[in-house]
Amino acid sequence: MAVVWSGLATGSVFALVAAGYNIFFVASGGFNFAHAQLLMLGVFLAEWGLVVAKLPIAVTFGFVAVSICLVGVIEERLAVRPTKDLDTLLITTVGASSVIGGVVQLIWGGQVLEVPIYSANTRSLLNGALPIAELWLIVTAVVMTVLLVVAIRRTRVGLALLAIAENREAALLRGINVPLLSFAAFAFSGLTAGLVAPVVGAETFASGSLATSLALTGFVALTIGGFGSFGGSLLGGLIVGLVGAEAEYWIGVQYSNLCIFGVLIAVLLVRPTGLFVSARERVV
Amino acid sequence: MRSRIFQASAVMACLALGLAACSSSSKSSSPTTTRTSGPGTGSGTSAPTGTPFVVLLEAGLSSTGSTLATVHLLTVATNAAASVLNSQGGINGHPVKVDIVSDGGSDPTTAVEVLNNYLASHAAPNLVMNTGPSNVSAAVLPIVASHHLLMMNNGDTSNSGDATKFPTNFDMQPTQAAYASSFTAYAKQKGYSSVAILWAQDTFTQPEESFLVSDLNAAGIKITGNEAVSPEALNVTPQLAQLKSGNPDALFYMAFGSIAGYVVQDASQLNWNLPIAGDIAASDSPVLSTPPAAGMLGTPAENNLVFQVLQASVKGSASQTAATATMLNAFQQAGGANGSVSDATNYDGLMMAAAAAKIAGTITNVNALVSAIQGLQPGQAATGVYPYYQYSATSHTPIVPADSYIFIKPAPIVDGLFVPAA
């Protein structure tokens, strides 16, 4: 059971990264390849807030969320808004990820730091059988997904975002402020990365290699679930985490990535648009 | 729109260049020395009085992650050794001068380019040193050999210690066999009849794991499980759960950084209360030797943990010599050691070159210096990290004393030394 918990917790981290990719994808049709770096920066800021500045936990959450939101806004101004097309966006967001990663290395170097959200006597439940950091990660991923699904489907802003995703030009003609909503979506994805960063850091530590671990696997989770589907991001993340953990347990670490990519290929063969997204025919 | 794209690209490029410049300019110094004489090709020319003994240090000053800390430590170690030698009148009366060039982020291509540029614009250095890692050394060693330069190398490769291939190079790092045999000795001392092994799949640990398996098998200690973990893993619970099913007497693990922390954290979360011994890479991981809140030192998760350290890096250890004390003092004056001094082998490299020069009576005859280093006896070089490096005419991979390593309870590092609780 410990392996299942572990896989679900790791998968939740991937799901949160995939959700971050999805927020911007829904609003713009593009990807922010710096999202994993934003999350990593948030983890380090959480460590700074809790350990160096000795902020209360609630204040740390707010501080990190606002900070990463601001970094996201700066990234949007410098690396997203000036771009002409999605190809350029790919290059500039990859560049932004390098800059954010470089800043983290310059400030924190190669340190691995604990993010102490939970005190020593609250690290586990059920006599140690249930690590609280892992439980909170899973809960956070599920709650975040539910909130995002509700926000997208039940609010005017969410529906406007879906309209943009469906047809950007038509949405403009209908009076939707597309640039503003794209900007807001970007800022919001930064905000969510900041909000979940302390919870992620409590499980993974603050490490300069964290983004490397998350970026590609988060994208795999997104692809399995389907671009644009938040439920798909959650399911994709959990599948990736579980498959990886079980493969490591039963057949060894050298087969873990093989199994994950095997699942990805199998899903794409059966459902090329991912588990939660259906291909739609268009009249041309 | 196009102009905005250019603006954005320009801003991103400037930011990236600025960061790179900050990263290297704060720590590097460009070589500016132009020398009129240098080592010959072994013909025995003598350097004029006052000519500096030039050490060329290729350092990965723009490295990232854990590599950067090692680069910094080795750079401090080189400068500290030069400072000590100069305070003693230099090497055979020649002042020691350290030229530092950056190979970027420990990039082999840059390292080759930088070395070639240096050799084209300067007289050949008396000694070449580096900060590793192995892939950089592998690229640089052929150039060092073709120019017949003396080198003390921190990035050992599979054949860098072969004196027939690289006769003027001496590796500084002991083979991983030394760490592995220390584990086996510890298992015997504790009376463990079975152990489980966990190791991170990186270039340092893989050979160590092979040596450890051979050593334990030879000692008749049963290996109940042997699991690898990816360096990018976010936890090690699957591996620990698998190893736990073998019910070993103890867990031996070899990992650095976050993985070193995950092992302790996840074993605790699994309620697996068995003795855990981490290797020297684990003891180099600040997360284990830093107290809360930034680290795990002293937390219940570390109750069962011991880690491997170099004896000389433990405060108050009887193995510390006067040379160790001199080294530690020099480190303080050269900027301080940001980690355990066990990695600071460049200090010893320069000290061995100095001792060899004294014995050979030359700083320029490379062949004589090589012979002298091969013949160094315990106590002849004022080395501070290891008491003695044994080389031979055929092997330039050092053999260090078998009792160089011990296992201690996790302890904080203060001024380069582990300080165990009283």
Side-chain angles (χ1 to χ4, degrees), chain B residues 121-367:
Chain B
S121 59
H122 295 72
N126 300 87
L127 174 64
V128 179
M129 305 187 89
N130 63 5
T131 58
S134 300
N135 59 338
V136 170
S137 301
V140 163
L141 277 168
I143 301 172
V144 170
S146 68
H147 285 77
H148 204 66
L149 301 172
L150 181 65
M151 180 167 186
M152 305 302 281
N153 172 30
N154 251 297
D156 53 307
T157 71
S158 58
N159 63 2
S160 56
D162 184 343
T164 59
K165 285 191 170 61
F166 302 108
T168 61
N169 174 65
F170 290 86
D171 286 350
M172 295 300 306
Q173 296 293 337
T175 68
Q176 278 88 341
Y179 307 123
S181 63
S182 165
F183 265 114
T184 308
Y186 181 72
K188 287 179 182 171
Q189 176 200 333
K190 289 291 181 182
Y192 300 143
S193 59
S194 64
V195 298
I197 299 172
L198 180 65
W199 53 286
Q201 289 180 313
D202 56 46
T203 52
F204 179 85
T205 306
Q206 278 181 325
E208 192 181 359
E209 182 265 346
S210 301
F211 284 121
L212 180 56
V213 169
S214 302
D215 250 27
L216 290 171
N217 284 333
I221 296 168
K222 184 182 176 187
I223 299 171
T224 60
N226 185 355
E227 292 287 329
V229 60
S230 163
E232 279 105 38
L234 296 179
N235 68 52
V236 296
T237 301
Q239 287 83 0
L240 289 179
Q242 184 62 259
L243 294 173
K244 189 179 180 183
S245 63
N247 196 26
D249 289 343
L251 169 67
F252 288 174
Y253 83 94
M254 296 159 278
F256 177 75
S258 53
I259 301 293
Y262 294 158
V263 172
V264 177
Q265 176 178 271
D266 293 353
S268 171
Q269 289 177 349
L270 280 171
N271 266 346
W272 196 18
N273 292 310
L274 88 169
I276 302 175
D279 73 340
I280 200 152
S283 67
D284 262 352
S285 306
V287 72
L288 295 181
S289 53
T290 306
M296 306 169 75
L297 180 65
T299 62
E302 289 197 354
N303 279 351
N304 300 321
L305 178 69
V306 294
F307 53 41
Q308 186 182 45
V309 297
L310 180 72
Q311 279 217 47
S313 69
V314 180
K315 189 175 177 66
S317 164
S319 71
Q320 285 176 348
T321 62
T324 309
T326 304
M327 177 185 76
L328 293 171
N329 187 40
F331 275 13
Q332 289 303 306
Q333 293 171 5
N338 61 336
S340 159
V341 295
S342 56
D343 289 332
T345 43
N346 270 9
Y347 183 91
D348 289 358
L350 189 44
M351 286 300 172
M352 280 193 281
K358 188 176 178 184
I359 292 166
T362 176
I363 63 168
T364 56
N365 187 329
V366 175
N367 289 344

